[in-house]
Amino acid sequence: MRVRVLAAVQDLGYRPNAIARSLRKTGTKTIGLVVSDLMNPFFAELARSVEDAARKLDLNVIVGNADEDPGQQDRYIQILLERQVDGLLVVPTEETSTLLHEAAQRDAPIILVDRPARDVNAPVVRADGDQAIADLMTHLKSLGHERIGMIAGPELAGTGRQRLTAARESAARVGLDLPTECIVRGTFRVESGEAAMAHLLDLPAPPQVVFAANGQMGQGAIMEARRRRVSWPEPVGLCVFDDLPWFELLEPGITAISQPVAEIGELAVEMLLRRLAGDEVGDQYRPCRLHIRASCGEELNGR
Amino acid sequence: MRVRVLAAVQDLGYRPNAIARSLRKTGTKTIGLVVSDLMNPFFAELARSVEDAARKLDLNVIVGNADEDPGQQDRYIQILLERQVDGLLVVPTEETSTLLHEAAQRDAPIILVDRPARDVNAPVVRADGDQAIADLMTHLKSLGHERIGMIAGPELAGTGRQRLTAARESAARVGLDLPTECIVRGTFRVESGEAAMAHLLDLPAPPQVVFAANGQMGQGAIMEARRRRVSWPEPVGLCVFDDLPWFELLEPGITAISQPVAEIGELAVEMLLRRLAGDEVGDQYRPCRLHIRASCGEELNGR
DNA sequence: CTGAAAGCGCTTACAG
DNA sequence: CTGAAAGCGCTTACAG
């Protein structure tokens, strides 16, 4: 009998309806991941490490792409919540999202990834770039630079503010000038890096080195420099927060700060699981690393 | 009364349970997208264009990442089917997947993206690189090259075979030598490009130009060349099927073929919708474009 | 150990 | 037009 039933299952191609199942059962064995921009390799890699970690724990993950748009982000959170995900991993696009705030309060356990979000009652897991940025400033100073510029992130993004603050403080500490007119805000997207670089190069007194606050904007800065046939480290040095795989392939290679992406993704899943189990979990930070190459005048040093 | 109910909805933060709804209703307003490798910018962009197109049609999309692993791919197809997606967009990792075959037959409408899959009864939408590859071979010939090598894709992937066939045929047509010992198979991932490039460079008689069958393997080839301090176009030229945003930033810039990714994503959604409506849809191909830069000896021409 | 019933949270068709 | 009932496909607690 049992055999005949199984044969029929095979024969008819019966597939259990997971939707009906999760209506009756408590959990869905599914978590949601809302990233701010899938075209950014950082988040593509994050998505991958989250998926890998989740798979090992027999959890499914649904990925949503907010495209740095808070409206899109809220839309995805809404959809995922309606689909009864057990928990949510979100890279918040901006600090203020009423939905995120609400959701964190009652719907589902949430872990914030990469960026903090004020007023949202959820633990954060992110890279801590402060030390690496301080290392970078010390490095630039030791190369003999005096005046630098920055392509900063959006004011409302936690990461953006944090990297700017760290750069300002450590620049001041080592005696490097980071004047207000040399700080231009971007949106974390490639195009804004191009525009910002154009602005900096057009300044009456351009900075000696430009520091881009994320990889996408760094790419934009590089593209704008090439377009103008402006090279580095002369007349302008370049360094980037985020290390793209091709930075070392350029000539000269780009000095950059890398984040422990894979580790952050794994940690995020782990933290979410602990919250699902009812534990309280605190914020987690992981250090970044400075990769010194040749885009800031390293080889010209001491000439 | 109505007002009071709505107030309570607001107050309690009521959110309709989409799972319960879709149990009763016919559709889920959700489609699945299974890509073969999210770390490949081609598929990241594909995912984005699919999401954009779906959003406009009020469809949700769940993204799954197979990581070029047929097991993973089947697992995702299974999950998505169990979750009652209305239809599936899949970039098949290999030609033979019983699940894909079965699913196409009875479960849900499927559209194959980027790669054909033999024995699967589903329409394909993909770029047609044949003309662009022919253009490339003509170009290489006109540059005076005689003997080229290729980093091909996996034998089982439709795209891999197709690009190799196109290269072989058009090379023969223009009188370019593409000997068997200069064809090495990769897996479409970066590491396999490195290994393949190493193999080709170590040949007693290395090819004058290497053609990589996708962007990831092209990246690997470039990395291996840099590691060995081997430059291009001398001693070896380089060209790639897929155009990564930073190919033009290298010095010399990489000659490459670009695919109309965004258009393919939009078309895929559109085709799936038509299948959902019960229409028959045929295969769709869109042409690629050759971008001539300087990695194959363009500037040395005629010296 | 086996089998029938109740219920998850919705929508829809039907009766009042 | 309003309100109660049936049913989507499962799982689980309960009766036989």
Side-chain angles (χ1 to χ4, degrees):
Chain A
M1 173 52 127
R2 184 189 160 81
V3 173
R4 286 175 56 197
V5 168
L6 289 174
V9 162
Q10 190 76 330
D11 230 46
L12 301 166
Y14 168 80
R15 213 181 298 288
N17 183 326
I19 280 184
R21 172 185 302 145
S22 48
L23 190 55
R24 187 59 170 81
K25 296 189 87 166
T26 38
T28 52
K29 288 254 175 219
T30 304
I31 62 175
L33 167 66
V34 183
V35 299
S36 58
D37 179 13
L38 251 191
M39 303 278 281
N40 180 335
F42 176 84
F43 296 114
E45 191 176 344
L46 180 74
R48 192 186 157 184
S49 73
V50 164
E51 276 180 326
D52 283 350
R55 179 170 38 255
K56 281 175 197 146
L57 298 162
D58 198 33
L59 278 175
N60 305 128
V61 8
I62 301 183
V63 181
N65 179 16
D67 257 335
E68 297 291 1
D69 168 2
Q72 273 272 93
Q73 168 184 285
D74 278 5
R75 186 167 166 280
Y76 259 113
I77 293 178
Q78 174 95 345
I79 288 167
L80 293 171
L81 252 23
E82 282 179 3
R83 302 203 151 242
Q84 314 299 116
V85 291
D86 293 343
L88 229 37
L89 261 26
V90 3
V91 179
T93 52
E94 286 193 10
E95 288 219 11
T96 44
S97 157
T98 40
L99 222 191
L100 189 56
H101 178 71
E102 258 183 54
Q105 290 208 310
R106 36 191 175 197
D107 284 293
I110 291 186
I111 305 286
L112 263 21
V113 186
D114 180 54
R115 310 174 182 175
R118 203 161 21 204
D119 294 337
V120 175
N121 178 29
V124 188
V125 50
R126 63 175 177 83
D128 180 358
D130 290 4
Q131 184 57 52
I133 289 174
D135 292 347
L136 174 64
M137 294 304 152
T138 305
H139 172 66
L140 293 179
K141 179 70 181 182
S142 79
L143 257 20
H145 295 296
E146 293 174 340
R147 195 156 168 284
I148 66 170
M150 181 159 178
I151 302 178
E155 193 157 12
L156 291 170
T159 336
R161 248 204 352 264
Q162 210 133 20
R163 290 175 195 163
L164 177 56
T165 306
R168 268 190 173 132
E169 286 176 1
S170 48
R173 205 176 309 123
V174 302
L176 217 46
D177 197 19
L178 176 54
T180 315
E181 68 269 25
C182 288
I183 297 174
V184 13
R185 293 216 173 267
T187 62
F188 276 153
R189 325 262 332 211
V190 175
E191 309 76 47
S192 75
E194 300 179 81
M197 187 65 170
H199 177 85
L200 289 172
L201 291 174
D202 286 339
L203 244 32
Q208 294 167 297
V209 179
V210 171
F211 175 41
N214 89 338
Q216 301 290 94
M217 296 194 300
Q219 178 179 335
I222 292 167
M223 289 169 72
E224 180 64 20
R226 282 274 200 247
R227 190 172 304 123
R228 292 175 174 227
R229 311 203 170 282
V230 163
S231 189
W232 56 87
E234 291 288 353
V236 64
L238 229 42
C239 47
V240 182
F241 195 104
D242 277 340
D243 190 23
L244 303 187
W246 48 275
F247 277 179
E248 58 174 338
L249 300 176
L250 295 183
E251 211 63 77
I254 305 290
T255 290
I257 291 172
S258 69
Q259 303 188 55
V261 199
E263 198 182 345
I264 288 173
E266 279 166 41
L267 254 176
V269 174
E270 196 181 293
M271 286 164 73
L272 185 55
L273 227 73
R274 287 183 36 213
R275 284 221 66 181
L276 288 172
D279 295 359
E280 278 299 307
V281 309
D283 295 351
Q284 295 278 349
Y285 309 100
R286 287 295 179 274
C288 295
R289 234 186 88 203
L290 174 63
H291 301 262
I292 293 174
R293 293 196 268 254
S295 60
C296 298
E298 283 81 351
E299 281 159 25
L300 278 41
N301 192 10
R303 76 180 157 173
Chain B
M1 175 53 127
R2 184 188 160 80
V3 173
R4 283 175 58 195
V5 169
L6 289 174
V9 163
Q10 190 74 331
D11 230 44
L12 301 167
Y14 167 81
R15 214 180 297 287
N17 183 326
I19 280 185
R21 172 185 301 145
S22 48
L23 189 56
R24 189 57 171 83
K25 294 188 87 165
T26 38
T28 53
K29 287 255 175 218
T30 305
I31 62 175
L33 167 66
V34 183
V35 299
S36 58
D37 179 12
L38 250 192
M39 303 276 282
N40 181 334
F42 176 85
F43 295 115
E45 191 176 344
L46 181 74
R48 193 187 157 181
S49 73
V50 164
E51 276 181 324
D52 282 351
R55 180 170 38 255
K56 282 176 196 143
L57 298 162
D58 198 32
L59 279 175
N60 304 129
V61 7
I62 300 184
V63 181
N65 180 16
D67 257 335
E68 297 290 1
D69 168 1
Q72 273 272 93
Q73 168 183 286
D74 277 5
R75 187 168 166 278
Y76 259 114
I77 292 177
Q78 175 95 348
I79 288 167
L80 293 170
L81 253 23
E82 282 179 4
R83 302 205 150 241
Q84 313 297 117
V85 291
D86 293 342
L88 229 37
L89 262 26
V90 5
V91 180
T93 51
E94 285 193 10
E95 287 220 10
T96 44
S97 157
T98 41
L99 222 189
L100 189 56
H101 179 72
E102 258 183 54
Q105 290 208 312
R106 34 189 178 200
D107 283 292
I110 290 187
I111 305 287
L112 263 22
V113 186
D114 181 53
R115 309 173 184 176
R118 203 163 21 206
D119 294 337
V120 175
N121 177 28
V124 187
V125 50
R126 64 173 176 84
D128 180 356
D130 290 4
Q131 184 57 51
I133 289 174
D135 292 347
L136 174 64
M137 294 303 153
T138 305
H139 172 67
L140 292 179
K141 179 69 181 178
S142 79
L143 258 18
H145 294 295
E146 292 173 342
R147 195 157 168 285
I148 66 171
M150 182 157 177
I151 302 178
E155 192 157 12
L156 291 169
T159 337
R161 248 204 351 266
Q162 210 133 20
R163 290 176 196 163
L164 177 56
T165 306
R168 266 188 173 131
E169 287 177 1
S170 48
R173 206 176 308 123
V174 301
L176 217 46
D177 197 18
L178 176 55
T180 315
E181 68 269 25
C182 288
I183 297 175
V184 14
R185 294 215 174 269
T187 62
F188 275 153
R189 324 252 345 200
V190 175
E191 308 76 47
S192 76
E194 300 178 80
M197 187 66 171
H199 176 86
L200 288 172
L201 291 174
D202 286 339
L203 244 33
Q208 295 167 295
V209 179
V210 171
F211 175 40
N214 88 339
Q216 301 290 94
M217 296 193 300
Q219 178 179 335
I222 292 168
M223 289 169 70
E224 180 64 20
R226 281 275 199 246
R227 189 173 306 122
R228 292 175 173 229
R229 311 205 169 278
V230 162
S231 189
W232 55 86
E234 292 289 353
V236 64
L238 227 44
C239 48
V240 183
F241 195 104
D242 276 341
D243 189 22
L244 303 188
W246 48 274
F247 277 179
E248 58 174 338
L249 300 176
L250 295 183
E251 212 62 79
I254 305 289
T255 290
I257 291 172
S258 69
Q259 303 188 55
V261 199
E263 198 183 345
I264 289 172
E266 280 166 41
L267 254 176
V269 174
E270 196 182 295
M271 285 164 73
L272 185 55
L273 227 72
R274 285 180 41 210
R275 284 221 68 181
L276 288 172
D279 295 0
E280 278 299 308
V281 308
D283 295 350
Q284 295 278 348
Y285 309 100
R286 288 294 180 275
C288 295
R289 236 186 86 203
L290 173 64
H291 302 262
I292 293 173
R293 293 197 268 253
S295 60
C296 298
E298 284 81 351
E299 280 159 23
L300 279 40
N301 191 12
R303 79 183 154 173

